[in-house]
Amino acid sequence: MTATVNLPGGTALPLIGFGTWELPPATAYEATRTALEVGYRHIDTAALYQNEADVGRAVKDSGVGRDQVFVTTKLRPRDARQARRALESSLRLLDTDYVDLWLIHWATGPDDLVPTWEALLSAKDAGLARNVGVSNYSPAQIDHVTEATGRSPAVNQISWSPGRHDPALLEEHRRRGVVVEGYSGLNNTDLRDPVLTGIAERHGVSTAQVILRWHLEHGIVVLPRSSRREHIAANLDLDGFDLTADDVAAIDALAKG
């Protein structure tokens, strides 16, 4: 699966990324190596996850060129007032000169919103992050930092799943030119839901694959996580089937239930 979305600066962001949240160091290394081996080219980590060194080592050891792997990490809000130092620490741990995307993990207090965003923009201008964005921000918070600096986040990484599908919120981001990355799409979904299992049976795929494909149908970047090789591979293998318009509508309707 190689579908991408272009970020405002022109960088191609793979629509499927490998998530590493809650993967302890050794597991993060092995799972990231497996993900790169089976074809992922987008890896998502964070300072908070405490596995950046292992993710970075996996990228190095994979044999895949650094310029072929889109690497995201995130700034802890508690480090916001030392943002550049925090990024330099992440870069050392990842053993790379730059990240492809640096996000503020969630919003700081109101007084720090704009200074933190300015620090991310400064890091981008310095070439330490090719793109910068936010996570767990509301449209109002995005507007606040954009209006203060004249530059908007490339990405907002937020919780997204069939049960939390919000077309109006998605449109709010699109209108601002902000790409939505959805996390916890599988964790926050009942994989035994009869709507989902019925669609999966008709297409001869797993329920998880249906959910991930549904994200892609909406143009939402998705970040599945697993430590099991068969699941890592299956989560990327979404090209062999297409959801019908009725399938997508039925899944969308789960948010109304």
Side-chain angles (χ1 to χ4, degrees):
M1 187 74 196
T2 56
T4 61
V5 59
N6 283 331
L7 297 180
T11 307
L13 169 63
L15 279 167
I16 304 179
F18 182 69
T20 63
W21 176 61
E22 286 193 329
L23 293 181
T27 306
Y29 173 81
E30 294 297 342
T32 302
R33 279 290 305 271
T34 298
L36 292 166
E37 186 180 317
V38 302
Y40 287 79
R41 291 298 179 263
H42 172 189
I43 306 295
D44 181 275
T45 185
L48 183 70
Y49 303 168
Q50 298 185 348
N51 59 20
E52 288 172 307
D54 306 279
V55 168
R57 189 162 56 89
V59 172
K60 283 270 187 181
D61 292 351
S62 70
V64 180
R66 173 66 187 87
D67 62 340
Q68 299 300 307
V69 184
F70 190 103
V71 176
T72 298
T73 195
K74 308 179 195 77
L75 171 70
R76 294 176 296 196
R78 75 183 193 202
D79 297 330
R81 295 188 181 186
Q82 297 85 35
R84 179 64 70 89
R85 188 183 306 165
L87 177 56
E88 289 168 353
S89 173
S90 288
L91 294 175
R92 281 194 300 274
L93 290 167
L94 288 162
D95 195 14
T96 184
D97 294 331
Y98 68 94
V99 288
D100 297 277
L101 179 62
W102 191 33
L103 306 177
I104 172 72
H105 210 147
W106 60 91
T108 60
D111 292 344
D112 286 327
L113 271 179
V114 172
T116 303
W117 181 236
E118 289 173 336
L120 267 71
L121 292 172
S122 173
K124 181 180 187 299
D125 293 341
L128 301 179
R130 294 177 68 198
N131 303 274
V132 289
V134 296
S135 182
N136 301 303
Y137 272 48
S138 67
Q141 289 167 328
I142 291 173
D143 287 345
H144 182 60
V145 298
T146 301
E147 289 163 9
T149 62
R151 299 166 71 181
S152 62
V155 165
N156 188 18
Q157 188 179 118
I158 53 180
S159 178
W160 206 274
S161 63
R164 299 183 182 185
H165 184 58
D166 186 340
L169 181 58
L170 193 55
E171 180 55 32
E172 290 279 318
H173 284 81
R174 298 237 160 101
R175 193 159 53 81
R176 291 163 172 80
V178 178
V179 171
V180 172
E181 286 191 343
Y183 68 79
S184 295
L186 299 179
N187 278 359
N188 290 331
T189 302
D190 179 3
L191 299 181
R192 297 163 299 178
D193 185 288
V195 170
L196 298 172
T197 57
I199 293 170
E201 286 169 10
R202 285 198 297 278
H203 290 286
V205 296
S206 71
T207 308
Q209 287 172 308
V210 167
I211 295 164
L212 297 173
R213 182 79 221 185
W214 168 83
H215 280 76
L216 303 189
E217 296 289 345
H218 283 295
I220 297 168
V221 180
V222 66
L223 304 165
R225 177 203 70 209
S226 179
S227 58
R228 295 175 59 181
R229 184 183 183 90
E230 63 270 28
H231 290 167
I232 292 171
N235 289 342
L236 187 68
D237 183 19
L238 305 179
D239 281 340
F241 71 104
D242 289 301
L243 298 179
T244 67
D246 286 345
D247 291 337
V248 173
I251 298 169
D252 288 355
L254 294 174
K256 304 178 183 68

